[in-house]
Amino acid sequence: MNKPITEYQTLVFDCDGVVLNSNKIKTQAFYDVAKVYGHEPAQALKDYHVQNGGISRFVKFEYLLTEILKKQLDQTELKQLLYNFAHEVKKALMTCEVAEGLAELREQTKHANWLIVSGGDQEELREVFKARGLDHYFNGGIFGSPDTKDTILAREIEKGNITRPALFLGDSKYDYQAAQTADLDFIFLTQWTEVKNHQAWCLELGLKATSNLATLQQD
């Protein structure tokens, strides 16, 4: 059972679709980077990405090469795809919308440790959050790929950086699975999610859902 937001010792945030309105940016970037292989592989990667929101770009581009294109994994080719993808999204991450209510929620939960745990590239995330003046909110750190969310959560719990009661705020099925594995409470944010039929999914699992960080404070 989820507690009032002020009772949590730790708040864990996904980035894309939770703190930044960047889901559609990244979805389009997967298509644009893969279209050198043709429309069908690019569309297949885009679909795979949407179905597997929250999972690292490293995994997704490996899937493109080995499963969609049926090629042997070439590390040089993989690195080039990752570089092209980073180039596509970084500029957009610097200008996309920041979630309404972020500062107010921080004020309301001054006592809590805040972390970003994202499928996005860790170095890129830290650079963007610093440049946009958002890093100071996340006193517990900003973490991302190539480590998986499961790995990051387990490590930060072990280190005592995540203390319970802890809440994960996410917008993907993988976020929920990661929260479950780490035994964290979970709230699904709907405003920018790309999960299809998310209302039925949340109802089926009995998940608490709210539109965004601003409405979270009113619940």
Side-chain angles (χ1 to χ4, degrees), residues 9-217:
Q9 292 296 313
T10 309
L11 296 183
V12 177
F13 297 75
D14 177 44
C15 174
D16 300 312
V18 173
V19 177
L20 297 180
N21 184 9
S22 44
N23 278 337
K24 286 185 171 59
I25 290 164
K26 290 196 172 178
T27 298
Q28 187 59 40
F30 275 107
Y31 178 88
D32 290 344
V33 168
K35 69 184 178 185
V36 293
Y37 301 108
H39 166 69
E40 286 187 13
Q43 187 61 47
L45 177 64
K46 183 178 175 180
D47 293 343
Y48 178 75
H49 160 69
V50 171
Q51 290 158 13
N52 294 276
I55 293 175
S56 161
R57 67 188 65 176
F58 295 84
V59 173
K60 290 169 182 172
F61 282 114
E62 281 188 4
Y63 182 87
L64 168 68
L65 294 173
T66 60
E67 300 300 322
I68 296 173
L69 297 171
K70 305 293 185 189
K71 297 170 72 170
Q72 186 129 12
L73 185 61
D74 181 310
Q75 289 298 330
T76 303
E77 189 174 9
L78 177 61
K79 282 179 184 173
Q80 187 61 50
L81 287 167
L82 290 166
Y83 175 83
N84 293 347
F85 182 82
H87 181 75
E88 286 274 329
V89 302
K90 191 172 177 187
K91 192 173 175 184
L93 289 175
M94 290 292 192
T95 56
C96 67
E97 182 182 0
V98 176
E100 180 188 354
L102 187 67
E104 291 80 1
L105 184 61
R106 178 74 271 195
E107 183 67 21
Q108 196 179 357
T109 59
K110 283 180 181 175
H111 65 285
N113 209 29
W114 277 29
L115 295 81
I116 290 284
V117 176
S118 172
D121 179 77
Q122 181 169 285
E123 191 178 327
E124 178 182 275
L125 284 168
R126 290 177 175 177
E127 195 175 326
V128 167
F129 273 64
K130 185 173 182 182
R132 300 199 64 176
L134 300 172
D135 57 332
H136 67 97
Y137 291 124
F138 301 94
N139 55 320
I142 296 168
F143 305 102
S145 60
D147 290 335
T148 66
K149 291 182 181 180
D150 290 335
T151 298
I152 295 164
L153 291 172
R155 183 189 69 221
E156 298 306 311
I157 289 167
E158 178 71 23
K159 286 167 61 179
N161 193 30
I162 294 174
T163 56
R164 295 184 179 88
L167 175 67
F168 195 123
L169 299 162
D171 72 319
S172 71
K173 292 183 178 181
Y174 178 48
D175 290 338
Y176 169 66
Q177 291 160 3
Q180 283 282 96
T181 300
D183 195 25
L184 307 181
D185 287 352
F186 182 77
I187 295 178
F188 187 82
L189 300 186
T190 63
Q191 183 178 25
W192 297 325
T193 186
E194 292 193 315
V195 175
K196 291 175 182 172
N197 303 316
H198 61 80
Q199 295 96 334
W201 178 70
C202 288
L203 194 63
E204 181 188 342
L205 293 174
L207 294 183
K208 180 177 170 65
T210 191
S211 177
N212 53 40
L213 298 183
T215 58
L216 172 68
Q217 297 163 72

